[in-house]
Amino acid sequence: RVAEWGKRIVFYSLITLPFYHSTTSLWGQGITERDAGNFGVVLGVPTGLTMDFQVDSNDRIFGDIGAWSDDLAINVGWMRRFPGLVRPRDKRLSLDSYLGAAVLQRFDKKNRFGFGPVLAEELHIEDSPFAFFLRFIPVIRLVPSIGYEISAVLGATFSF
């Protein structure tokens, strides 16, 4: 069973390599290293690690991997930023809204696969490499049966 998970992780890694290649061109677009990507932790579905990369000034790709109730969970998606929809009173804070799409895979006794829209809010603190976010994904499950579920995570990331 662990070998099967390992094969799937390698498969998902190979899928994300083209996204990594596209982010290496960010520096040619004048995007600083600090804005290129984030690495952090997530609590929710799944509880584990998260990483995202900026594709251009408004688009990001993300991946979450972790556990949830004795299964391995992977979320991969794209988000488009809509800055300034909500403005915090404290000028040192900024809140960005995101809308996108994601695919979700759960590996357990009944492997589950689905997709759904991504709704997210990310809080940035001025002159800090840390950010905090809430990501909500209403999932349309396709495998093993058609259904509906909710994926929500609360996370903290470090910019690199």
Side-chain angles (χ1 to χ4, degrees), residues 86-93:
V86 177
R87 288 196 162 75
R89 290 183 183 172
D90 188 340
K91 299 293 183 190
R92 295 173 295 159
L93 301 176

Side-chain angles (χ1 to χ4, degrees), residues 88 93-96 121-125 130-133:
L93 301 176
S94 66
L95 190 63
D96 289 336
E121 291 290 329
E122 188 170 47
L123 179 69
H124 299 273
I125 303 166
F130 296 99
F132 304 93
F133 67 89

Side-chain angles (χ1 to χ4, degrees), residues 134-151:
L134 175 64
R135 192 181 305 138
F136 177 74
I137 307 171
V139 179
I140 299 168
R141 189 180 59 241
L142 301 175
V143 174
S145 61
I146 295 177
Y148 183 82
E149 59 188 69
I150 304 289
S151 175

Side-chain angles (χ1 to χ4, degrees), residues 111-124:
N111 290 337
R112 293 175 288 170
F113 176 81
F115 68 94
V118 176
L119 307 165
E121 291 290 329
E122 188 170 47
L123 179 69
H124 299 273

